[in-house]
PDB file of all heavy atoms in Angstrom:
ATOM      1  N   ALA B  11      -1.305 -62.477 -32.762  1.00 96.00           N
ATOM      2  CA  ALA B  11      -0.123 -63.553 -32.850  1.00 96.00           C
ATOM      3  C   ALA B  11       0.169 -64.039 -31.552  1.00 96.00           C
ATOM      4  O   ALA B  11       0.860 -65.136 -31.531  1.00 96.00           O
ATOM      5  CB  ALA B  11       0.969 -62.809 -33.624  1.00 96.00           C
ATOM      6  N   SER B  12      -0.134 -63.439 -30.544  1.00 96.00           N
ATOM      7  CA  SER B  12       0.259 -63.870 -29.176  1.00 96.00           C
ATOM      8  C   SER B  12      -0.479 -65.066 -28.623  1.00 96.00           C
ATOM      9  O   SER B  12      -0.106 -65.768 -27.647  1.00 96.00           O
ATOM     10  CB  SER B  12       0.145 -62.763 -28.167  1.00 96.00           C
ATOM     11  OG  SER B  12      -1.050 -62.546 -27.810  1.00 96.00           O
ATOM     12  N   ASN B  13      -1.642 -65.343 -29.269  1.00 92.00           N
ATOM     13  CA  ASN B  13      -2.585 -66.411 -28.807  1.00 92.00           C
ATOM     14  C   ASN B  13      -3.066 -66.223 -27.404  1.00 92.00           C
ATOM     15  O   ASN B  13      -3.442 -67.179 -26.806  1.00 92.00           O
ATOM     16  CB  ASN B  13      -2.011 -67.742 -29.071  1.00 92.00           C
ATOM     17  CG  ASN B  13      -1.936 -68.114 -30.544  1.00 92.00           C
ATOM     18  OD1 ASN B  13      -2.803 -67.801 -31.231  1.00 92.00           O
ATOM     19  ND2 ASN B  13      -0.848 -68.787 -30.939  1.00 92.00           N
ATOM     20  N   PHE B  14      -3.045 -65.006 -26.932  1.00 96.00           N
ATOM     21  CA  PHE B  14      -3.546 -64.760 -25.407  1.00 96.00           C
ATOM     22  C   PHE B  14      -5.150 -65.171 -25.468  1.00 96.00           C
ATOM     23  O   PHE B  14      -5.813 -64.556 -26.246  1.00 96.00           O
ATOM     24  CB  PHE B  14      -3.393 -63.231 -25.153  1.00 96.00           C
ATOM     25  CG  PHE B  14      -3.733 -62.888 -23.727  1.00 96.00           C
ATOM     26  CD1 PHE B  14      -2.714 -62.901 -22.718  1.00 96.00           C
ATOM     27  CD2 PHE B  14      -4.987 -62.500 -23.479  1.00 96.00           C
ATOM     28  CE1 PHE B  14      -3.164 -62.488 -21.437  1.00 96.00           C
ATOM     29  CE2 PHE B  14      -5.373 -62.083 -22.170  1.00 96.00           C
ATOM     30  CZ  PHE B  14      -4.438 -62.084 -21.276  1.00 96.00           C
ATOM     31  N   ALA B  15      -5.456 -65.889 -24.486  1.00 95.00           N
ATOM     32  CA  ALA B  15      -6.853 -66.236 -24.515  1.00 95.00           C
ATOM     33  C   ALA B  15      -7.523 -65.557 -23.270  1.00 95.00           C
ATOM     34  O   ALA B  15      -7.245 -65.779 -22.161  1.00 95.00           O
ATOM     35  CB  ALA B  15      -7.017 -67.801 -24.243  1.00 95.00           C
ATOM     36  N   ALA B  16      -8.443 -64.648 -23.650  1.00 96.00           N
ATOM     37  CA  ALA B  16      -9.109 -63.883 -22.534  1.00 96.00           C
ATOM     38  C   ALA B  16     -10.548 -64.258 -22.200  1.00 96.00           C
ATOM     39  O   ALA B  16     -11.179 -64.745 -23.033  1.00 96.00           O
ATOM     40  CB  ALA B  16      -9.119 -62.411 -23.043  1.00 96.00           C
ATOM     41  N   ARG B  17     -10.839 -64.292 -20.867  1.00 97.00           N
ATOM     42  CA  ARG B  17     -12.152 -64.564 -20.441  1.00 97.00           C
ATOM     43  C   ARG B  17     -13.035 -63.273 -20.655  1.00 97.00           C
ATOM     44  O   ARG B  17     -14.178 -63.379 -20.925  1.00 97.00           O
ATOM     45  CB  ARG B  17     -12.248 -65.115 -19.001  1.00 97.00           C
ATOM     46  CG  ARG B  17     -11.768 -66.293 -18.639  1.00 97.00           C
ATOM     47  CD  ARG B  17     -12.421 -67.584 -19.345  1.00 97.00           C
ATOM     48  NE  ARG B  17     -13.848 -67.531 -19.181  1.00 97.00           N
ATOM     49  CZ  ARG B  17     -14.661 -67.955 -18.306  1.00 97.00           C
ATOM     50  NH1 ARG B  17     -14.061 -68.379 -17.127  1.00 97.00           N
ATOM     51  NH2 ARG B  17     -15.914 -67.933 -18.301  1.00 97.00           N
ATOM     52  N   ALA B  18     -12.412 -62.190 -20.361  1.00 98.00           N
ATOM     53  CA  ALA B  18     -13.144 -60.950 -20.352  1.00 98.00           C
ATOM     54  C   ALA B  18     -12.504 -59.965 -21.134  1.00 98.00           C
ATOM     55  O   ALA B  18     -11.287 -59.750 -21.372  1.00 98.00           O
ATOM     56  CB  ALA B  18     -13.291 -60.328 -18.909  1.00 98.00           C
ATOM     57  N   CYS B  19     -13.335 -58.953 -21.746  1.00 98.00           N
ATOM     58  CA  CYS B  19     -12.905 -57.962 -22.686  1.00 98.00           C
ATOM     59  C   CYS B  19     -13.247 -56.662 -22.157  1.00 98.00           C
ATOM     60  O   CYS B  19     -14.502 -56.348 -22.004  1.00 98.00           O
ATOM     61  CB  CYS B  19     -13.261 -58.194 -24.039  1.00 98.00           C
ATOM     62  SG  CYS B  19     -12.903 -56.858 -25.211  1.00 98.00           S
ATOM     63  N   ILE B  20     -12.331 -55.803 -21.776  1.00 98.00           N
ATOM     64  CA  ILE B  20     -12.731 -54.458 -21.430  1.00 98.00           C
ATOM     65  C   ILE B  20     -12.366 -53.424 -22.545  1.00 98.00           C
ATOM     66  O   ILE B  20     -11.355 -53.488 -23.190  1.00 98.00           O
ATOM     67  CB  ILE B  20     -11.829 -53.999 -20.165  1.00 98.00           C
ATOM     68  CG1 ILE B  20     -12.096 -54.942 -18.905  1.00 98.00           C
ATOM     69  CG2 ILE B  20     -11.953 -52.517 -19.897  1.00 98.00           C
ATOM     70  CD1 ILE B  20     -11.101 -54.801 -17.823  1.00 98.00           C
ATOM     71  N   LEU B  21     -13.325 -52.633 -22.838  1.00 98.00           N
ATOM     72  CA  LEU B  21     -13.172 -51.538 -23.925  1.00 98.00           C
ATOM     73  C   LEU B  21     -12.690 -50.305 -23.155  1.00 98.00           C
ATOM     74  O   LEU B  21     -13.560 -49.643 -22.443  1.00 98.00           O
ATOM     75  CB  LEU B  21     -14.403 -51.299 -24.668  1.00 98.00           C
ATOM     76  CG  LEU B  21     -15.022 -52.709 -25.206  1.00 98.00           C
ATOM     77  CD1 LEU B  21     -16.259 -52.475 -25.912  1.00 98.00           C
ATOM     78  CD2 LEU B  21     -14.014 -53.406 -26.023  1.00 98.00           C
ATOM     79  N   GLY B  22     -11.419 -49.733 -23.398  1.00 98.00           N
ATOM     80  CA  GLY B  22     -11.016 -48.531 -22.858  1.00 98.00           C
ATOM     81  C   GLY B  22     -10.112 -48.676 -21.763  1.00 98.00           C
ATOM     82  O   GLY B  22     -10.366 -49.520 -20.905  1.00 98.00           O
ATOM     83  N   SER B  23      -9.006 -47.855 -21.738  1.00 98.00           N
ATOM     84  CA  SER B  23      -8.065 -48.053 -20.633  1.00 98.00           C
ATOM     85  C   SER B  23      -7.939 -46.696 -19.729  1.00 98.00           C
ATOM     86  O   SER B  23      -6.790 -46.431 -19.345  1.00 98.00           O
ATOM     87  CB  SER B  23      -6.742 -48.274 -21.259  1.00 98.00           C
ATOM     88  OG  SER B  23      -6.294 -47.149 -22.055  1.00 98.00           O
ATOM     89  N   GLY B  24      -9.016 -45.997 -19.541  1.00 98.00           N
ATOM     90  CA  GLY B  24      -8.907 -44.842 -18.761  1.00 98.00           C
ATOM     91  C   GLY B  24      -9.029 -45.352 -17.222  1.00 98.00           C
ATOM     92  O   GLY B  24      -8.854 -46.575 -17.060  1.00 98.00           O
ATOM     93  N   PRO B  25      -9.318 -44.402 -16.257  1.00 98.00           N
ATOM     94  CA  PRO B  25      -9.294 -44.841 -14.824  1.00 98.00           C
ATOM     95  C   PRO B  25     -10.363 -46.062 -14.721  1.00 98.00           C
ATOM     96  O   PRO B  25      -9.912 -46.922 -13.833  1.00 98.00           O
ATOM     97  CB  PRO B  25      -9.905 -43.564 -14.188  1.00 98.00           C
ATOM     98  CG  PRO B  25      -9.381 -42.530 -15.057  1.00 98.00           C
ATOM     99  CD  PRO B  25      -9.426 -43.036 -16.396  1.00 98.00           C
ATOM    100  N   ALA B  26     -11.440 -46.122 -15.272  1.00 98.00           N
ATOM    101  CA  ALA B  26     -12.459 -47.163 -14.994  1.00 98.00           C
ATOM    102  C   ALA B  26     -11.917 -48.449 -15.621  1.00 98.00           C
ATOM    103  O   ALA B  26     -11.748 -49.569 -14.889  1.00 98.00           O
ATOM    104  CB  ALA B  26     -13.739 -46.904 -15.621  1.00 98.00           C
ATOM    105  N   GLY B  27     -11.484 -48.556 -16.906  1.00 98.00           N
ATOM    106  CA  GLY B  27     -11.063 -49.819 -17.507  1.00 98.00           C
ATOM    107  C   GLY B  27      -9.797 -50.300 -16.921  1.00 98.00           C
ATOM    108  O   GLY B  27      -9.736 -51.477 -16.644  1.00 98.00           O
ATOM    109  N   THR B  28      -8.846 -49.475 -16.653  1.00 98.00           N
ATOM    110  CA  THR B  28      -7.620 -49.817 -16.008  1.00 98.00           C
ATOM    111  C   THR B  28      -7.720 -50.390 -14.638  1.00 98.00           C
ATOM    112  O   THR B  28      -7.109 -51.486 -14.358  1.00 98.00           O
ATOM    113  CB  THR B  28      -6.473 -48.715 -15.928  1.00 98.00           C
ATOM    114  OG1 THR B  28      -6.302 -48.262 -17.332  1.00 98.00           O
ATOM    115  CG2 THR B  28      -5.303 -49.079 -15.347  1.00 98.00           C
ATOM    116  N   THR B  29      -8.556 -49.842 -13.904  1.00 98.00           N
ATOM    117  CA  THR B  29      -8.917 -50.291 -12.504  1.00 98.00           C
ATOM    118  C   THR B  29      -9.537 -51.692 -12.470  1.00 98.00           C
ATOM    119  O   THR B  29      -9.155 -52.594 -11.785  1.00 98.00           O
ATOM    120  CB  THR B  29      -9.572 -49.355 -11.703  1.00 98.00           C
ATOM    121  OG1 THR B  29      -9.035 -48.075 -11.773  1.00 98.00           O
ATOM    122  CG2 THR B  29     -10.042 -49.742 -10.328  1.00 98.00           C
ATOM    123  N   ILE B  30     -10.494 -51.875 -13.347  1.00 98.00           N
ATOM    124  CA  ILE B  30     -11.136 -53.170 -13.351  1.00 98.00           C
ATOM    125  C   ILE B  30     -10.142 -54.207 -13.994  1.00 98.00           C
ATOM    126  O   ILE B  30     -10.075 -55.320 -13.409  1.00 98.00           O
ATOM    127  CB  ILE B  30     -12.466 -53.080 -14.278  1.00 98.00           C
ATOM    128  CG1 ILE B  30     -13.504 -52.133 -13.753  1.00 98.00           C
ATOM    129  CG2 ILE B  30     -13.092 -54.427 -14.608  1.00 98.00           C
ATOM    130  CD1 ILE B  30     -14.537 -51.621 -14.728  1.00 98.00           C
ATOM    131  N   ALA B  31      -9.423 -53.856 -15.004  1.00 98.00           N
ATOM    132  CA  ALA B  31      -8.397 -54.778 -15.518  1.00 98.00           C
ATOM    133  C   ALA B  31      -7.466 -55.322 -14.367  1.00 98.00           C
ATOM    134  O   ALA B  31      -7.182 -56.559 -14.224  1.00 98.00           O
ATOM    135  CB  ALA B  31      -7.660 -54.250 -16.671  1.00 98.00           C
ATOM    136  N   ARG B  32      -7.061 -54.369 -13.595  1.00 98.00           N
ATOM    137  CA  ARG B  32      -6.054 -54.725 -12.567  1.00 98.00           C
ATOM    138  C   ARG B  32      -6.588 -55.654 -11.547  1.00 98.00           C
ATOM    139  O   ARG B  32      -6.023 -56.480 -10.916  1.00 98.00           O
ATOM    140  CB  ARG B  32      -5.490 -53.413 -11.888  1.00 98.00           C
ATOM    141  CG  ARG B  32      -4.582 -52.638 -12.786  1.00 98.00           C
ATOM    142  CD  ARG B  32      -4.068 -51.324 -12.116  1.00 98.00           C
ATOM    143  NE  ARG B  32      -3.174 -51.668 -11.048  1.00 98.00           N
ATOM    144  CZ  ARG B  32      -3.359 -51.295  -9.829  1.00 98.00           C
ATOM    145  NH1 ARG B  32      -4.525 -50.658  -9.464  1.00 98.00           N
ATOM    146  NH2 ARG B  32      -2.488 -51.590  -8.876  1.00 98.00           N
ATOM    147  N   LYS B  33      -8.025 -55.505 -11.265  1.00 98.00           N
ATOM    148  CA  LYS B  33      -8.641 -56.209 -10.317  1.00 98.00           C
ATOM    149  C   LYS B  33      -8.786 -57.658 -10.819  1.00 98.00           C
ATOM    150  O   LYS B  33      -8.577 -58.542 -10.092  1.00 98.00           O
ATOM    151  CB  LYS B  33     -10.014 -55.649  -9.931  1.00 98.00           C
ATOM    152  CG  LYS B  33     -10.099 -54.391  -9.287  1.00 98.00           C
ATOM    153  CD  LYS B  33      -9.702 -54.469  -7.734  1.00 98.00           C
ATOM    154  CE  LYS B  33     -10.871 -54.978  -6.897  1.00 98.00           C
ATOM    155  NZ  LYS B  33     -10.560 -55.037  -5.534  1.00 98.00           N
ATOM    156  N   LEU B  34      -9.193 -57.729 -12.076  1.00 98.00           N
ATOM    157  CA  LEU B  34      -9.376 -59.081 -12.752  1.00 98.00           C
ATOM    158  C   LEU B  34      -8.033 -59.796 -12.791  1.00 98.00           C
ATOM    159  O   LEU B  34      -7.915 -60.972 -12.483  1.00 98.00           O
ATOM    160  CB  LEU B  34     -10.078 -58.957 -14.044  1.00 98.00           C
ATOM    161  CG  LEU B  34     -11.500 -58.438 -14.101  1.00 98.00           C
ATOM    162  CD1 LEU B  34     -12.174 -58.435 -15.371  1.00 98.00           C
ATOM    163  CD2 LEU B  34     -12.393 -59.200 -13.061  1.00 98.00           C
ATOM    164  N   GLY B  35      -7.032 -59.056 -13.260  1.00 98.00           N
ATOM    165  CA  GLY B  35      -5.655 -59.597 -13.323  1.00 98.00           C
ATOM    166  C   GLY B  35      -5.325 -60.157 -12.037  1.00 98.00           C
ATOM    167  O   GLY B  35      -4.660 -61.286 -11.899  1.00 98.00           O
ATOM    168  N   ALA B  36      -5.400 -59.389 -10.811  1.00 97.00           N
ATOM    169  CA  ALA B  36      -4.987 -59.842  -9.596  1.00 97.00           C
ATOM    170  C   ALA B  36      -5.820 -61.044  -9.110  1.00 97.00           C
ATOM    171  O   ALA B  36      -5.220 -61.945  -8.424  1.00 97.00           O
ATOM    172  CB  ALA B  36      -5.216 -58.758  -8.617  1.00 97.00           C
ATOM    173  N   ALA B  37      -7.006 -61.285  -9.738  1.00 97.00           N
ATOM    174  CA  ALA B  37      -7.749 -62.410  -9.317  1.00 97.00           C
ATOM    175  C   ALA B  37      -7.457 -63.677 -10.191  1.00 97.00           C
ATOM    176  O   ALA B  37      -8.231 -64.598 -10.190  1.00 97.00           O
ATOM    177  CB  ALA B  37      -9.254 -62.093  -9.379  1.00 97.00           C
ATOM    178  N   GLY B  38      -6.537 -63.412 -11.217  1.00 97.00           N
ATOM    179  CA  GLY B  38      -6.166 -64.561 -11.933  1.00 97.00           C
ATOM    180  C   GLY B  38      -7.026 -64.758 -13.142  1.00 97.00           C
ATOM    181  O   GLY B  38      -6.976 -65.868 -13.871  1.00 97.00           O
TER     182      GLY B  38
END
Side-chain angles (χ1 to χ4, degrees):
Chain B
S12 75
N13 289 324
F14 182 94
R17 290 294 317 275
C19 173
I20 296 172
L21 309 179
S23 70
T28 299
T29 303
I30 296 167
R32 291 181 67 242
K33 293 286 284 187
L34 294 184

